[in-house]
Amino acid sequence: MRLDKYLKVSRLIKRRTLAKEVCDKARVEINDRPAKASSNVKIGDKLAIRFGQKIVSVKVEDIKENPRKEEAASLYTVIGEVPVPRDEKEEDAYLKG
């Protein structure tokens, strides 16, 4: 399944056009590699999505074309969320603890 469609049907991103824009701005990675909207997503892939000041990492658990709202959360497992530092001082402070 295309990455932009997966982000939409899994409800990680609300609209497919927005998912495409996020991918075009290199804010999504599949298995630690920058991904385009047309990249294929497979079960077991690790996605890292940058939302503003945090990066959300998820593992693809299932792929469905038209899941119900209740099933959307079962398509992925959240691995973690990491805040993104705004500048070098904040990054140094974050890395030091």
Side-chain angles (χ1 to χ4, degrees):
M1 175 181 289
R2 285 176 54 107
L3 175 59
D4 57 345
K5 184 170 182 180
Y6 181 81
L7 293 173
K8 190 248 184 229
V9 299
S10 66
R11 300 179 192 268
L12 286 166
I13 296 182
K14 215 173 220 183
R15 294 182 316 271
R16 188 167 177 180
T17 54
L18 182 59
K20 183 180 180 323
E21 288 175 19
V22 170
C23 294
D24 290 343
K25 293 180 181 177
R27 293 186 176 187
V28 181
E29 294 180 350
I30 297 177
N31 299 324
D32 299 322
R33 291 187 174 161
K36 295 182 179 181
S38 61
S39 299
N40 283 326
V41 176
K42 301 179 295 292
I43 295 174
D45 282 347
K46 179 184 162 198
L47 306 178
I49 310 156
R50 181 172 177 170
F51 292 107
Q53 296 301 314
K54 67 180 176 179
I55 297 175
V56 177
S57 297
V58 299
K59 181 180 177 189
V60 177
E61 297 292 341
D62 196 7
I63 294 176
K64 292 185 180 179
E65 288 293 323
N66 296 309
R68 304 173 92 203
K69 184 178 181 181
E70 299 81 26
E71 297 173 328
S74 68
L75 297 180
Y76 61 90
T77 302
V78 176
I79 297 170
E81 294 183 19
V82 178
V84 177
R86 294 181 190 163
D87 57 23
E88 288 184 28
K89 288 182 182 178
E90 191 173 323
E91 184 175 356
D92 290 340
Y94 176 75
L95 292 175
K96 290 180 182 176

